[in-house]
Each structure stands twice: as C-alpha cells, then as structure tokens.
C-alpha cells in the first residue's frame, strides 16, 4: 500500500461548504471527483470532472425518493409498532396473564434499550463495510420473527429475553437511515426526508393503537387466543413480509455497482458528484458496494476515536440524552389516558391515535421548514424542547382529565419536532467527517438518548396515579435543560463557523 499523508486520509472540507442551490433554471453544475474517481472503469471523465444539469439532478432525486424513502418509511413504521405495542399489550391483559408487577413491566421496557443502546453505533460501523440493500432487510426480518415469537411467551423471563433481542436488531435501523440520507442527499434536502421517515415511526404509534384497539374489541378470545397475542402475531407477520420485499427496493451507497444498475452509469456519477459538491466525504466503494476511504479504511477503533474527539459529537449527545427521557411517554400513553378517567380500554387504545397524529404533523412541518434554515436547526430544536417543557409543567398543576389529555398533544408536538430536528442536525453537522467516523457519530447521540428510557421507565409508577407529578416534573426539567444546551450550541456553531457557511 502506498504511503499516505494525514491530509490524504482526512481531507479538509472545502471552505465554505455550500448549501447548494442552482442559480437559475436550466443551469449546470460541475465538480471534480478525484477522491471517488474510478476512471479505469469509466465512471468519470478522464480529468475527474463531471457536469450535470438541474433537470438531470431532479430526475435522479425523484427516482431515489420513490425507491428509498417508501422502503425505509415502512421499515420505521414496523419498528415503532413492534417496540411501542408493549404498552398496548399491557393494557390489553398481558400483565395479568404473565402476572407482571409494576417493576417487572418497567424492566420489560428497559431491557429493550440495553440491546438498543449498546448495538446501535456498532451496527453503523458494520453497515459502512457491507451492503445496505442486504443488511437492513436482514435486521428487519430478524426483529419481525422475534416480535412474532412474543405472541407465544408464557412467562416474564421469556418476555425479557425477546424484548432484549428485538432491541439488538432494531437498533441499527434509525442510525442507518440517517447515515444513508447523509450520503445521498444535500444538506438542504435532508430535513424533509428525515422528518418523512420519522413520521413513519410516529404513525407506528397510531397504527399500534388501531391494531390494539381492534384486537381488544374483535379478536379477543378468537380461537381461544388473547387479544394481546393477536397483536404481536399480526405485527410480526407484517414485518417479516416487508423485510422480504424491501430487499428488492433498498439502495446501496451512491457509488456502488448496484447504483449504476438502477440509475445508470450517468446517475451514479451525479449521485456522487452532487453530495461531494456540498463537502460530504463519501470515499471509494468496492465492487460489492461497501464503503471505504479514498485511500484506506480507518478501522473500527480509529473511527470511534475520531468521532469521540469532536466536541460537537459530545454536545449533541448530551442534549439528545436530555431529550430522550421524554420519549418514554410512548409506552405510557394508553395507561396515562386510562387512569385520567377514561374507563373503556378499547376507547383508551383509540384515544392514543390523535396524539400520534399531532406528533406526525408537527415533525413533518418542522422538518420541511428546517430545510430553509439548515444552520439554525439547533436554535429551532431549543425552541421546540423549551415549549414541550412548559406543557409538561402544566400537566403537573392542572387536574382536569380533559385538559391534561389536551396538553399531551402539545407535549408530543414539541418532543417529536425536536427529534426530527436533531436527526437532520446530525447529518448536516458531521458531513465533513470521514465516512466511517461519521457512521459512528451519527449513531451515538441516538443511543445515549435512548438511555433516557431506562430511567424514564420508572417515572410513572402506579402509586403516583393519576397525577404523576414525578414523571411529568422530571420530563419538564430535562427538556428545559436540553433547550438551554442547544441554544448555547447554536451560538458556538455560529461563532466558530464550523459549517463554513455565513448565517
């Protein structure tokens, strides 16, 4: 292997990194693709420079949107349905059948995150060395099979083992989706795509309510099978079927051979050139489509060290850790609503649906709006977390069940808008990293954020019903602290001009 300089392995990002816009209709873009050039295979022009028109780029993005986004959208939908349905199953009689105490139910929630937190960042390192088209369907199929198996559990121990295993396999989906979006889309295109995929996760909560309500109302006792067992069985089968179909729809990295087969050789050139123009480091791709550096791989240990040496990674990770506590509400919505005085279990299951719809609308709108201000996403995130903290505080002091139910809507809007913003903030902030280090950096905040669910699972014990002062108070405090942190982060980014763009 030829000797390399430090600047060859870690090339400095162009200054400034542009937030790309075509200056006028019909214009062309030109970019030198030396670092990813494969001229011996005919990928680029002889001088490593390619030129394309606005119409060509729009056509490529449209094709990509139609194959990539629906695939990961349904994957995310299945993921959230499978993980959050534990709350619906608990209300539908799982706790009684398995004789679960409050502490045991909390542990069932927590054990999922033991697997989720530890395996998420490592999963992205594996993804960077394999084919997304193969890797992601395998993950989805495995957790679908495990979810289906939960319909047959007969005791607490088996339920714990299955929940932990589901967390291991589900951990790879969200960071992989963000990593792929950062490789395929420009910074001013990422927010709306990320919010679109997040909307699937949120709609998974709504569909979970629909399926759970239907199971409780119409499938309870059919063939002598409890409704909560039907719930896990239906969700598991749907997930396995989609995992099989998704293999034919998923894309690999932009410069891969499969990209040339799907979008044409010209499409592969444009896919690589248009993100390279934004300062995104892609690297070379081997013949099978896995990602490598332009000169050499970093290796897993060095990738982790590079990511952890960046103060931006730590700041966002702490902020998302503070945000993560509030997402535990997803597991308690059915129980909280039921104990507010709405006594019908079926009605309670269906009453979770409007909350998730509110979360979807808020996340999608904020995601689309954020693409117009890609360098102010941290500021917008602080505002959303701050508003959610205010509404959580109000839940602590207002006793009317109907008013508290209404406040859950506004809390959901603020929390899940913040999630959409942080995911797109990651993709923009770390675009100048080596791709293997970026894979780890994109996954770490989400892993730490999900640790919030570990202690959050114990914030709503049955002894605190129906006020739950401790739970809503802690969530208000963590959201408020996170809002302050992201306001400061915005000022630091602006001062140091780390993104290289004038605001």
């Amino acid at each position: 292997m030829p000797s390399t300089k430090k600047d060859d392995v870690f090339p400095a990002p162009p200054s400034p990194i542009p937030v790309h816009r075509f200056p006028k209709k019909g214009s062309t873009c030109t970019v030198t693709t030396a670092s990813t050039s494969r001229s011996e295979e005919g990928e680029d022009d002889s001088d490593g420079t390619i030129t394309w028109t606005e119409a060509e780029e729009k056509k490529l993005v449209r094709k990509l949107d139609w194959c990539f986004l629906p695939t990961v959208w349904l994957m995310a939908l299945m993921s959230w349905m499978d993980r959050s349905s534990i709350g619906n199953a608990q209300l539908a009689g799982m706790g009684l059948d398995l004789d679960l105490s409050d502490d045991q139910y909390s542990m069932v929630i927590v054990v999922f995150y033991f697997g989720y937190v530890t395996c998420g960042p490592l999963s992205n390192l594996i993804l960077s060395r394999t084919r997304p088209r193969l890797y992601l369907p395998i993950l989805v199929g495995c957790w679908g099979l495990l979810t289906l198996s939960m319909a047959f559990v007969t005791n607490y121990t088996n339920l714990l083992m299955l929940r932990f295993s589901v967390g291991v396999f589900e951990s790879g989906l969200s960071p992989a989706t963000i990593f792929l979006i950062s490789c395929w889309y420009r910074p001013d295109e990422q927010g709306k795509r990320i919010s679109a995929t997040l909307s699937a996760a949120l709609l998974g909560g709504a569909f979970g309510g629909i399926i759970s309500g239907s199971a409780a109302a119409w499938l309870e006792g059919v063939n002598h099978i409890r409704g909560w067992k039907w719930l896990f069985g239906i969700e598991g089968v749907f997930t396995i079927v989609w995992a099989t179909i998704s293999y034919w729809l998923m894309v690999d990295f932009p410069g891969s051979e499969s990209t040339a087969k799907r979008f044409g050789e010209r499409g592969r050139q444009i896919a690589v050139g248009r993100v390279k123009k934004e300062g995104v480091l892609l690297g070379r791709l081997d013949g099978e489509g896995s990602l490598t550096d332009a000169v050499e791989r970093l290796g897993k240990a060095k990738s982790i060290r590079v990511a952890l040496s960046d103060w931006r990674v730590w700041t966002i990770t702490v902020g998302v850790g503070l945000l993560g506590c509030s997402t535990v509400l997803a597991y308690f919505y059915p129980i909280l609503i039921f104990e507010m005085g709405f006594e019908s279990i079926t009605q309670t299951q269906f009453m979770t649906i409007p909350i998730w719809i509110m979360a979807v609308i808020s996340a999608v709108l904020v995601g689309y709006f954020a693409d117009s201000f890609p360098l102010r996403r941290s500021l917008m995130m602080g505002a959303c977390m701050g508003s959610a903290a205010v509404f959580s505080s109000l839940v602590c002091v207002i006793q009317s069940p109907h008013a508290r139910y209404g406040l859950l809507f506004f809390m959901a809007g603020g929390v899940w808008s913040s999630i959409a913003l942080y995911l797109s903030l990651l993709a923009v902030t770390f675009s100048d990293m080596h791709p293997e280090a970026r894979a780890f950096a994109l996954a770490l905040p989400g892993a730490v954020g999900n640790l919030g669910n570990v202690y959050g699972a114990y914030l709503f014990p049955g002894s605190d019903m129906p006020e739950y002062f401790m739970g809503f108070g802690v969530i208000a405090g963590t959201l408020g602290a996170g809002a302050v942190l992201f306001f400061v982060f915005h000022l630091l980014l602006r001062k140091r001009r780390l993104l290289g763009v004038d605001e």
Side-chain angles (χ1 to χ4, degrees):
M1 180 179 292
S3 61
T4 59
K5 300 178 181 180
K6 179 180 179 182
D7 291 342
D8 294 328
V9 181
F10 304 106
S15 180
I17 298 174
V19 176
H20 177 72
R21 296 287 193 278
F22 278 93
K24 59 182 179 180
K25 185 176 181 180
S27 61
T28 61
C29 276
T30 303
V31 64
T32 300
T33 59
S35 66
T36 57
S37 174
R38 300 171 67 177
S39 56
E40 70 276 10
E41 297 180 17
E43 177 177 330
D44 300 324
D45 296 338
S46 59
D47 61 354
T49 300
I50 61 171
T51 302
W52 66 91
T53 66
E54 179 183 9
E56 285 182 301
E57 183 170 351
K58 286 184 176 180
K59 182 179 179 180
L60 171 68
V61 173
R62 186 165 57 249
K63 287 183 178 180
L64 175 63
D65 284 343
W66 277 108
C67 64
F68 173 68
L69 290 181
T71 304
V72 295
W73 191 91
L74 277 171
M75 285 180 173
L77 178 72
M78 300 299 177
S79 172
W80 194 260
M81 286 175 59
D82 292 348
R83 87 170 67 170
S84 64
S85 60
I86 193 72
N88 302 102
Q90 174 73 356
L91 188 61
M94 179 188 71
L96 293 175
D97 290 352
L98 302 183
D99 195 24
L100 300 181
S101 65
D102 284 348
D103 287 342
Q104 287 177 326
Y105 175 65
S106 295
M107 181 54 68
V108 168
I109 295 175
V110 167
V111 75
F112 172 90
Y113 291 100
F114 289 161
Y116 196 95
V117 169
T118 55
C119 296
L122 299 178
S123 176
N124 251 17
L125 291 178
I126 297 173
L127 175 70
S128 69
R129 295 182 175 226
T130 187
R131 299 183 61 189
R133 185 184 175 192
L134 180 64
Y135 185 65
L136 289 180
I138 289 176
L139 289 183
V140 176
C142 287
W143 90 60
L145 182 61
L146 291 166
T147 300
L148 176 61
S149 300
M150 290 172 66
F152 302 96
V153 295
T154 57
N155 57 65
Y156 169 64
T157 302
N158 290 341
L159 182 61
L160 277 182
M161 293 174 61
L162 287 171
R163 283 284 293 178
F164 172 81
S165 301
V166 170
V168 169
F169 287 103
E170 283 198 19
S171 67
L173 178 62
S174 179
T177 300
I178 305 306
F179 185 42
L180 287 171
I181 288 176
S182 76
C183 291
W184 276 97
Y185 291 98
R186 302 192 315 249
D188 62 314
E189 298 171 337
Q190 293 171 2
K192 58 179 68 72
R193 271 80 182 181
I194 289 173
S195 64
T197 58
L198 178 62
S199 72
L202 302 179
L203 283 173
F207 281 114
I210 294 173
I211 294 175
S212 300
S214 300
W218 300 308
L219 294 179
E220 177 64 39
V222 174
N223 292 330
H224 307 288
I225 299 174
R226 293 297 308 271
W228 64 270
K229 291 179 176 286
W230 279 111
L231 170 62
F232 288 131
I234 292 171
E235 291 179 351
V237 170
F238 282 170
T239 303
I240 294 170
V241 170
W242 182 245
T244 304
I245 296 173
S246 64
Y247 170 77
W248 307 104
L249 300 175
M250 177 56 67
V251 297
D252 286 321
F253 292 107
S256 65
E257 297 294 337
S258 65
T259 297
K261 292 179 182 178
R262 178 167 297 185
F263 301 108
E265 185 65 27
R266 176 68 173 167
R268 177 168 69 173
Q269 294 175 23
I270 297 173
V272 173
R274 71 190 215 96
V275 292
K276 186 176 184 297
K277 185 178 177 66
E278 306 299 326
V280 177
L281 300 183
L282 277 180
R284 190 189 300 266
L285 293 142
D286 63 24
E288 295 300 319
S290 61
L291 196 62
T292 68
D293 181 59
V295 179
E296 62 180 3
R297 294 185 190 271
L298 287 185
K300 293 182 177 64
K302 194 169 186 179
S303 299
I304 294 172
R305 288 199 302 270
V306 170
L308 295 182
S309 66
D310 195 318
W311 69 272
R312 299 171 299 173
V313 174
W314 286 105
T315 305
I316 294 179
T317 297
V318 173
V320 174
L322 293 169
L323 172 62
C325 176
S326 58
T327 61
V328 77
L329 286 170
Y331 298 102
F332 289 98
Y333 280 143
I335 298 170
L336 291 173
I337 294 171
F338 181 74
E339 292 175 353
M340 284 179 181
F342 303 96
E343 297 180 354
S344 168
I345 292 179
T346 301
Q347 178 191 22
T348 299
Q349 301 277 22
F350 285 119
M351 286 179 69
T352 64
I353 299 172
I355 297 177
W356 290 113
I357 293 176
M358 175 67 173
V360 170
I361 294 173
S362 301
V364 170
L365 288 178
V366 169
Y368 271 74
F369 184 69
D371 273 350
S372 299
F373 306 95
L375 301 181
R376 293 183 172 84
R377 285 173 178 157
S378 53
L379 183 64
M380 297 169 63
M381 188 171 173
C384 289
M385 290 181 68
S387 65
V390 171
F391 292 120
S392 183
S393 300
L394 291 175
V395 174
C396 292
V397 298
I398 294 177
Q399 300 302 311
S400 168
H402 292 87
R404 300 184 86 202
Y405 176 67
L407 288 171
L408 291 179
F409 280 70
F410 295 102
M411 280 187 65
V415 168
W416 294 105
S417 295
S418 301
I419 297 290
L421 287 167
Y422 113 72
L423 292 174
S424 59
L425 176 65
L426 291 178
V428 172
T429 304
F430 303 142
S431 62
D432 59 339
M433 279 188 178
H434 183 285
E436 287 185 278
R438 185 168 79 247
F440 184 83
L442 290 174
L444 181 62
V448 174
N450 278 290
L451 281 174
N453 289 276
V454 174
Y455 63 85
Y458 296 92
L459 293 179
F460 297 94
S463 57
D464 283 358
M465 71 170 68
E467 293 84 5
Y468 293 108
F469 291 132
M470 179 179 68
F472 287 109
V474 170
I475 288 175
T478 54
L479 286 172
V484 173
L485 179 62
F486 278 106
F487 283 136
V488 174
F489 184 60
H490 172 75
L491 295 176
L492 291 174
L493 284 179
R494 184 172 184 178
K495 179 180 179 181
R496 300 191 179 202
R497 305 169 70 85
L498 290 176
L499 294 179
V501 182
D502 293 333
E503 291 198 324

